[in-house]
Structure formats: structure tokens, C-alpha cells
Amino acid sequence: MKHALLSTLILFFAILSAAATPQTITEQINSVLPQNYPDASSVIISDKTEIVLEKDGSFSENSYSLVKILNDTSKKDYGTLVFPYNSRYQTITSLNIRVYYPDGTLRELPGDSITDSTMPAMQHMNIFEESFRQKSAIIGDFPVGSAIETTVITKTKPLLKNNYCETFYFQNSYPALFSQVKITAPSDMPLIYSVNNGTVDFIKTTEKGNVSYLWQAKNSPQIIPEPYMPSLADEALSLSVSTFQTWENASKFSYELNKDKYTPSPAIKAKITDLTKGLDSEEEKILAIYRFVSQKIRYMGSAMDVSAYIESHPASYTFEKGYGVCRDKATLMTCMMQTAGIKCKDALINPSRETNPSVPTVFFEHVICYIETKNGKHLALDPTMEFAADPEIGYAGERYMLPASLQGDPLVKLPPSPTERHAGKIETTAILNDDLSLDLSAEIKSCGDYETALRQLKSECQANVFKSFFEQILSLISPGAQLEKLEYGDPADLNLPFDIRLKTSAQSYAVKAGGYILMPLPSRRMPFDLLTSPQIKEWGSLQDRRYDINVSSPMECSIKESIKIPSGYKAISLPPAISVNGAVSANFQTSEKDGKIIFQGKISINSRRISKNAYQEIKNTAKILKNFERHMVILEKL
């Protein structure tokens, strides 16, 4: 998701400086043998973090990390070290880096080799904020077998007044031999905490009005990435901590930060009057305001206020400037909805990872709007989705969301988004000519996230690129298929369906064998299904899975195909029917009627997350779909 980095900027690499002597460190480094870690490019020998928390929410962080480099891949990764921070809140007071060479030589990087600059990653996210900065250290060349040691001390002003929350990871893509997190907090700021995806050692001590919490993990295996797996945050051994005692406290805190931002300016009121003029129903008004904010207010970052991770600009500011990040657009939409008499709240959500319901927090990746209509319907709308004609977002289904309110709302789990709401609908008509050439017309209709994806695809492609894209698709029908016509609407015009129509022809499409004709179904490979069947086939490429399959949204695609066959022929063999149901379903049926071959098919992905335990079922479905591609319609001359 394009906003995910905002919620993780305050997570740093580092850990408390160990008191080990150089000799002890050398022994630790030498004990790590590459043959014991055949899948790893490096090994985290020691990773420690110590945080001292103050009552106002400020804290100091001492960090230490020792990593051994096992091959050239990791050597390249560690050639330059980057330490991100936010200069508005944070100061890196000390940064020391040392390199231990295999021959026992120790090199310490001089301070003048460390540079300070704005973060280029934020520019890639279309966000400009000069306070997002990074310190960079160029290690230069060093031999494989070396170890990199970093020690960092950071001071952080209150990000959350009188509160603190964070997530720490004991596990990542490298093996970690020892990881430690220690947090010392005033006794009247008790921590709510949760260890996720495993167990660690824990000690809690009290001394002089403070409470120290210590978590330690040993020999955490590396996470080996897998296609379509959930985020690392969902799978890694991790620790979530917070001083918010309830979700209602977190909801109220978020609301208090922004409660003065919803006041509409005269210009906003005038725009609402203009947008809703002549609209009688609440649904029409919601749609009009949604489309204005999603399309006319650009998604673009700008300077941030205090507690910027969750605090927006005033609605009037965002309206006047015509741009903002997710929380700015959400606040403006909430302001406009409320002014129009619609119950609406800002809501925090994580689109790319799961939310841990046991630890209240206000650190989320994204901000959307949560509406309760007069007839009691609840809507989750994302004002950053510029090409969504249907404002109800599919990715939010089955996810937790935290509405911000004066009284404090509980965490809400949204219901599943119906599969049929996010669908592609394809209809093709074809003629198999006497010379065995094929003429085919196709129409692609869509709705929900399926349509949004097609609109987004077209918006990112020039006309010639979009045409080339469909020319490649036609090769799935026949290698010699020619695109004769391609029509589509304006992807930015959400008032009209984004339908795609095309015509194609293919010479020598079928094969004549004596008194028989062998003809493949044009849609046997579901060529015009751009989202569901390609994913299912790709999912089935692994022997087995270690992790669940992460799906952005439930989705389906149906097709109805009619092929007129040459006169004087009838079908004596048709492809077999398919009926597979489960996490992924596929249903195909082929028949003959009035001189036409009729093919009807539907493929559905029924959940946004598919259990790894269902993977063999997915593989079986992918195999069935692939086998179906080889079947022919056999026509016999009467």
C-alpha cells in the first residue's frame, strides 16, 4: 500500500550497546559458521533495544546491533547503512559503527563519513516532508566474513502526549541468535503488551517508582519470503506494547488531535451545496462528496503538524490547497459529510497487515472514513482511491478499523466484502468460418475492485501500451490473432462504466481432420480475465507453502461465450464440466444449442486470505484449469 511507511518511521534498527569486550565479540563472530546457515546471507548475532519512557511520552532509546556477513549479497546490502529519523521529534545524539574483519582487524568509521539528508523513499511515495531524514554511513569494501556493529542513541520528543506505543520484531529475513527489548516506564504508565507468533523469555521488575519490562528471544529462524505471503509483520515473532489501556482510549485520543480540524470554511459549504444540488437521497450525496474528494483532491504529501503520524491538516487547509495525504483527505471528507448531515468519522486501518486486537494503539498505516447511513447501513470509504466508482472498498473486509470519536469507539471488525461485488463479467461472440478462421467480439464489464484495477491499469498506460497489452492477451486465443478494434471509456469518469470492447480475427484457428474439425474454445484459458485466473495459476506453482496466501480482495470473474460453428457440422465431443468449490471455486460448462457452442464459466476467490492448509486444494484447482486448456471441441460433418 502506498501509505505503509508512515506508520513505521519511528521503528529503528538498533539496540542497546553491549558491554562485551572486543575479544568476546570476536569469539561470537567466529562461532557463526556459514555452513550452519545455508539459506542466509547474514546472521544477526546480537540485537538489543533499551527504552526509557517519561510520563509526557518522550523517551530515550539506546540501540546495539552486531551482524555477520556471510556472502556477497549481504555484503552489498550492508555497503551503506541508513538510519531514518524524524527531525521534528527525534535527535540522534550518538552513532558509532565498527567493522570486524575476519583477520581480527577492527575498523571504526569516523564521524565525518556519516552524512545527513532527506529520505528519498518519501519522495517515491509522493510525500515531501523535510523532517523525514536519514543518517547514512558508507562502509565501503570489506571481505565476506566480516561483522558490522552499530550503536545508536536517540532522544524522541512526545509523539503521543502522555502515551507510547510500538511494535518490535525479533525475527526477520535473517537468523537472529539473540534479541532483546527492555522498556523502563513510570509505574503509573503501565504497559499493555503482547508477544505475537511465538514465545520469548520475560522478566518484570519494579524499582524506585519505575517498572522495567524485559523480553528476550534466542535463535529465531529467518523468514524465507514466499510469493503472495502475508506481510512480515503478520508472520514474524514480535512484541506489541502500548500505554493505551483500551481501544476506546485510543479512539478518543485520535479524535482529540483532530477535533478542531473539521470546521467547514465558507468555500467548503459552497462546494457541498453545489455537489448536492438536486440530490434527494443520502446515498447520492455520499457518492457525490466521495467522488469529489477522491478525484479532485490530489494524494500528495505536505508539511506535517505535531503528532503527524495521526494528526491531519484542517479540512479548510486541505480544501484550499487541493492536496493532502490519506489523513488529510479523510478529515476533509468527514468534514464535508458531517456538514451535509451525514454521520461520518475518521477511521484508522491497516491495509497491508493484520491489526492485533489485544494491544490498543493509534499507529496505523492508513486513514479512511466510516459512515453510518440513516437506514443503519455502515460504509467504509477510502478517499485516496481515485479510480473507485464503487466507494465501498474490498480490501477492508474482515479487517479491524478504529473509528475516532469524542466518547471513544471500540475496535470494529468489518464484515467480509461480498465476492460478487468485485467482479469481471465477460461476454464473447465468435464465428468459426468455413475456412476455419475465427472472428470474435468481446466485451469486458466489471464492478468493485475488479473495475478499479482496470481503471488504474488504463490510467497508467498510454493508448499504444494499452493496445499492446491486449494484443499479448489475444495470443492466448491464437498465436496469429489480430486485434482489429479496441474501445474503452475514460478511466477517470466514474459516472460511466469502464467497459472494454474489442474485435479480433485469427486465421487457421481450427484444424480439419478428415470429416472432423478440432476447435479449441477461445476462452479455454480465460484470456480476458485479468485478475482471478492468472493469480490462481500462479499460486499453484509451489510444491508446498509455509505461509497463507494474501489476497487483496475477494474477487470473481464470469464468462459467457457463444461460437457459431460451420453449417453441416455438429459437436460429438465437448470439454468436460468443472465444478470445484472452496477457498477458490471454478465452475465451467460447455453445451451445444442451435448450431452454437455455448461455454459458461466462473472463477471465484472467496476470501482475502487463504489458509496454507488449503494450498493443496489450490494446487488441484490450478491443475484442473491447466488441463482444461488442452481440451477441444470436436465437430463432425453431418
Side-chain angles (χ1 to χ4, degrees), residues 392-394 397 415-423 553-556 605-606:
E392 293 191 54
I393 45 182
S417 185
T419 304
E420 61 272 13
R421 195 179 185 101
H422 311 283
S553 171
M555 203 168 286
E556 70 178 26
I605 301 171
N606 300 315

Side-chain angles (χ1 to χ4, degrees), residues 444 446 450-459 498 500 530:
I444 305 172
S446 54
Y450 202 110
E451 180 185 22
T452 302
L454 294 184
R455 288 178 183 269
Q456 185 75 36
L457 173 66
K458 175 59 191 76
S459 72
F498 185 66
I500 300 172
L530 307 182

Side-chain angles (χ1 to χ4, degrees), residues 19 101 103 135 163 169 197 262 339 372 377 439 442 470 507 526 530 554 584:
Y101 292 92
D103 63 3
K135 288 186 180 291
N163 282 285
Y169 297 94
N197 301 314
Y262 302 112
T339 304
E372 181 181 352
K377 188 177 181 180
D439 295 317
F470 276 93
Q507 301 300 313
M526 299 290 284
L530 307 182
V584 169

Side-chain angles (χ1 to χ4, degrees), residues 547-619:
Y547 305 107
D548 292 350
I549 297 173
N550 190 39
V551 183
S552 60
S553 171
M555 203 168 286
E556 70 178 26
C557 184
S558 60
I559 186 165
K560 182 176 182 181
E561 182 169 72
S562 171
I563 311 155
K564 187 178 184 302
I565 59 177
S567 60
Y569 282 84
K570 68 174 182 178
I572 62 169
S573 179
L574 297 171
I578 290 177
S579 181
V580 178
N581 296 294
V584 169
S585 60
N587 293 278
F588 292 173
Q589 183 73 44
T590 311
S591 61
E592 180 184 10
K593 183 179 181 181
D594 299 331
K596 297 178 180 179
I597 305 299
I598 308 298
F599 168 69
Q600 291 181 293
K602 178 184 285 188
I603 296 180
S604 303
I605 301 171
N606 300 315
S607 175
R608 69 167 182 81
R609 182 162 175 159
I610 300 174
S611 170
K612 61 185 178 183
N613 298 325
Y615 185 59
Q616 293 307 314
E617 170 193 322
I618 302 297
K619 282 179 65 69

Side-chain angles (χ1 to χ4, degrees), residues 479-536:
Q482 299 293 317
L483 180 61
E484 298 178 346
K485 187 177 181 180
L486 178 62
E487 299 176 335
Y488 45 84
D490 179 359
D493 187 352
L494 304 185
N495 294 309
L496 295 175
F498 185 66
D499 296 342
I500 300 172
R501 299 178 182 84
L502 60 85
K503 289 184 178 181
T504 183
S505 63
Q507 301 300 313
S508 303
Y509 179 75
V511 176
K512 197 168 186 178
Y516 301 96
I517 294 177
L518 280 64
M519 179 190 73
L521 288 172
S523 293
R524 69 197 184 281
R525 295 181 178 176
M526 299 290 284
F528 301 117
D529 173 20
L530 307 182
L531 297 177
T532 52
S533 54
Q535 284 195 67
I536 295 169

Side-chain angles (χ1 to χ4, degrees), residues 209-390:
N210 291 322
V211 180
S212 290
Y213 308 79
L214 178 67
W215 296 269
Q216 292 180 336
K218 298 177 182 177
N219 299 316
S220 300
Q222 72 185 109
I223 292 179
I224 300 176
E226 200 171 62
Y228 295 100
M229 68 178 288
S231 71
L232 187 68
D234 291 339
E235 300 296 337
L237 176 62
S238 63
L239 167 69
S240 301
V241 299
S242 177
T243 59
F244 291 107
Q245 300 300 297
T246 67
W247 283 106
E248 288 81 359
N249 293 151
S251 168
K252 187 174 182 179
F253 183 93
S254 179
Y255 173 81
E256 289 291 334
L257 284 175
N258 296 310
K259 65 181 181 181
D260 297 327
K261 310 294 177 66
Y262 302 112
T263 304
S265 64
I268 289 177
K269 291 180 180 179
K271 175 54 70 174
I272 294 170
T273 299
D274 179 57
L275 290 172
T276 60
K277 185 178 181 180
L279 303 181
D280 297 324
S281 72
E282 185 181 41
E283 185 180 52
E284 290 176 314
K285 294 177 181 178
I286 291 172
L287 190 60
I289 294 172
Y290 164 79
R291 288 184 174 174
F292 169 76
V293 178
S294 66
Q295 289 198 298
K296 302 303 181 182
I297 305 299
R298 291 174 296 150
Y299 175 80
M300 188 172 75
S302 54
M304 296 184 174
D305 300 322
V306 178
S307 299
Y309 298 100
I310 53 175
E311 185 174 356
S312 65
H313 285 95
S316 57
Y317 178 92
T318 302
F319 181 82
E320 177 186 348
K321 297 298 182 182
Y323 59 78
V325 290
C326 62
R327 66 187 181 282
D328 299 322
K329 296 188 69 169
T331 293
L332 174 58
M333 183 179 288
T334 295
C335 165
M336 296 181 75
M337 294 287 184
Q338 291 177 350
T339 304
I342 299 163
K343 289 185 178 180
C344 183
K345 303 172 183 176
D346 287 356
L348 310 176
I349 193 170
N350 289 317
S352 73
R353 59 183 173 86
E354 303 298 330
T355 299
N356 181 356
S358 63
V359 179
T361 181
V362 292
F363 283 158
F364 285 76
E365 297 170 332
H366 197 39
V367 185
I368 60 174
C369 292
Y370 189 46
I371 290 175
E372 181 181 352
T373 65
K374 292 178 180 177
N375 62 9
K377 188 177 181 180
H378 294 262
L379 307 175
L381 311 184
D382 186 342
T384 69
M385 296 187 68
E386 180 182 352
F387 295 99
D390 182 349

